[in-house]
């Protein structure tokens, strides 16, 4: 199944000025050297799905997990759901080359054990947003 990238109604869609999501995409875009914006995608049947970040050529697909405050075990489910979505999108967007999961520092706990290993093995790049900048998820031994 192939998805078509559509124009968003506004450049930032639902991400308000100053929101953590917008700050995350700006920091990641700076790190990767490409502008990233949320975009709707259309399925062949006319239904839509949104990717939280994509570059203009459609090569980089990004999902954000931007929870803050105290860690909750449910964050692990969000991480895994977004990784699953990224894998599906990578296979469904004809131009896609890279999949990136960007998480906040509190969410890093959800990437313990096999989850980070699965992301690496499946080609999902994981980055951490510290509130200002983006760094690659440290490898755990």
């Amino acid at each position: 199944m192939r998805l078509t990238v559509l124009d968003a109604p506004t450049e930032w869609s639902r991400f308000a000025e100053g929101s953590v999501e917008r700050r995350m995409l700006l920091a990641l875009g700076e790190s990767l050297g490409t502008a990233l914006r949320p975009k709707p995608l259309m399925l062949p049947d006319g239904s839509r799905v949104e990717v939280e970040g994509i570059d203009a050529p459609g090569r980089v697909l990004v999902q954000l997990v931007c929870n803050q405050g105290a860690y909750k075990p449910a964050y692990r489910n969000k991480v895994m759901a977004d990784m699953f979505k990224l894998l599906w999108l990578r296979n469904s967007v004809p131009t896609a080359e890279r999949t990136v999961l960007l998480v906040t520092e509190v969410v890093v706990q959800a990437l313990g054990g096999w989850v980070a290993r699965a992301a690496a093995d499946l080609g999902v790049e994981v980055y951490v947003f510290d509130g200002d900048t983006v760094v690659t998820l440290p490898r755990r031994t």
Side-chain angles (χ1 to χ4, degrees):
M1 173 181 348
R2 295 292 183 210
L3 299 175
T4 305
V5 179
L6 304 174
D7 288 328
T10 63
E11 178 184 14
W12 286 101
S13 185
R14 68 183 193 278
F15 300 153
E17 187 172 341
S19 67
V20 67
E21 295 91 348
R22 190 184 285 200
R23 292 189 349 257
M24 290 172 80
L25 282 178
L26 287 170
L28 181 62
E30 185 175 313
S31 177
L32 299 179
T34 188
L36 299 163
R37 299 294 185 269
K39 293 269 187 184
L41 307 171
M42 184 178 294
L43 295 152
D45 69 2
S47 58
R48 295 175 181 229
V49 61
E50 185 171 14
V51 63
E52 292 173 337
I54 189 169
D55 63 339
R59 290 189 301 258
V60 181
L61 304 170
V62 180
Q63 283 296 118
L64 308 171
V65 184
C66 53
N67 300 86
Q68 299 175 40
Y71 177 78
K72 296 177 183 167
Y75 296 169
R76 188 177 191 133
N77 293 339
K78 170 74 169 132
V79 164
M80 290 188 290
D82 278 352
M83 285 195 312
F84 180 73
K85 182 178 180 181
L86 284 168
L87 294 172
W88 174 62
L89 290 172
R90 184 175 62 202
N91 288 331
S92 301
V93 175
T95 54
E97 297 172 1
R98 295 174 75 179
T99 52
V100 178
L101 182 68
L102 179 57
V103 302
T104 52
E105 289 181 311
V106 70
V107 177
V108 170
Q109 294 177 63
L111 289 149
W114 67 269
V115 179
R117 178 61 186 259
D121 288 354
L122 293 168
V124 176
E125 301 170 41
V126 181
Y127 292 87
V128 181
F129 178 68
D130 70 3
D132 292 310
T133 59
V134 170
V135 296
T136 304
L137 178 71
R139 278 259 202 232
R140 296 181 187 200
T141 55

